[in-house]
Amino acid sequence: MALIDNEAALHDAHRDNHTHRDVNGGWLRPAVFGAMDGLVSNLALMTGVAGGAVGREAIVLTGLAGLAAGAFSMAAGEYTSVAAQRELVEAELDVERRELRKHPEDEEAELAALYEGRGVDPDLARRVARQLSRDPEQALEIHAREELGVDPADLPSPAVAAVSSFGSFALGALLPVAPYLLGSTALWPAVLLALLGLFLCGAVVARVTTRTWWYSGLRQLALGGAAAGVTYALGALFGTALG
């Protein structure tokens, strides 16, 4: 009796602990990467201009212009790409819908062949395919998942993608501008705040990777810092040459 109880407890423990992380990243990954893009691009833009020994007003204007231009560019690009992807998927779904209506037997045989290819007994595969094909909408969903790798009920929204990209980029791009908007006249507070933001974004990315939070944070900080350093040097060089 005690052995049975122990086996049951081990089974329950395994069932409770058998979970997986979100391998797609969900909303977290695009939001964090959008913010990092805004941070790196606007920090590099501002340090490049600051390297040319311009005044505070020029740096603030550059940062705000970079924020607006980058955010709108990200939103437009994301909307276009997601809309094009969705239109392509919907066109393929229409093809599949027509095939299910015109050639239901062929589509049922195709579904059975898919299951057979995965090791299901042929007779069982045919019976499963026949049962699943009774409902046209269910059949469409299954064929879409198996053949296209998409869920017809969960297609991405271009508007949501555009708004989220705009917001995450703008938030990231705002960090290096914020110290200037609060009255700072030096570059280092903007750089420090932006690098801190990059470290935090990198640490958050560790939630959807196998890396430790400090490694991801330091890696992103180093990359952003390198971009800022290179653009500052270029700004100083070109500022001297043009001056």
Side-chain angles (χ1 to χ4, degrees), residues 6 24 57 68 92 137 213 215 221-222 227:
N6 289 336
N24 293 320
E57 292 77 10
E92 292 301 311
E137 287 304 315
W213 64 270
Y215 176 88
L221 186 151

Side-chain angles (χ1 to χ4, degrees), residues 83-126:
Q85 179 188 10
R86 184 181 180 113
E87 290 164 2
L88 175 61
V89 171
E90 288 175 343
E92 292 301 311
L93 289 175
D94 287 339
V95 171
E96 194 64 39
R97 193 175 284 110
R98 286 195 300 270
E99 289 299 311
L100 285 167
R101 186 175 60 254
K102 294 180 179 179
H103 309 289
E105 296 84 2
D106 294 341
E107 291 299 304
E108 182 180 314
E110 183 180 330
L111 188 59
L114 283 171
Y115 291 138
E116 285 184 45
R118 295 184 178 181
V120 179
D121 180 76
D123 182 60
L124 178 59
R126 286 192 294 271

Side-chain angles (χ1 to χ4, degrees), residues 28-38 74 168-169 201 205 208 220:
L28 179 64
R29 185 175 62 177
V32 171
F33 277 100
M36 283 197 293
D37 192 8
M74 284 284 291
S168 60
F169 185 97
C201 285
V205 169
V208 292
Q220 196 57 42

Side-chain angles (χ1 to χ4, degrees), residues 141-239:
E141 179 180 342
I142 293 170
H143 279 275
R145 288 178 182 272
E146 296 292 341
E147 298 175 30
L148 303 176
V150 299
D151 181 357
D154 190 29
L155 297 182
S157 167
V160 171
V163 171
S164 61
S165 295
F166 183 97
S168 60
F169 185 97
L171 181 62
L174 180 62
L175 281 184
V177 187
Y180 283 103
L181 296 178
L182 295 175
S184 175
T185 57
L187 179 63
W188 68 264
V191 173
L192 184 63
L193 184 59
L195 293 180
L196 177 61
L198 285 169
F199 179 84
L200 292 176
C201 285
V204 172
V205 169
R207 289 190 57 183
V208 292
T209 68
T210 58
R211 296 291 186 180
T212 57
W213 64 270
W214 56 266
Y215 176 88
S216 295
L218 289 176
R219 178 177 60 182
Q220 196 57 42
L221 186 151
L223 292 173
V230 169
T231 55
Y232 183 87
L234 290 174
L237 177 64
F238 292 140

Side-chain angles (χ1 to χ4, degrees), residues 14-15 18 20 31 52 88 101 171 224 226 239:
H14 175 73
R15 181 183 60 195
H18 189 69
H20 295 284
L88 175 61
R101 186 175 60 254
L171 181 62

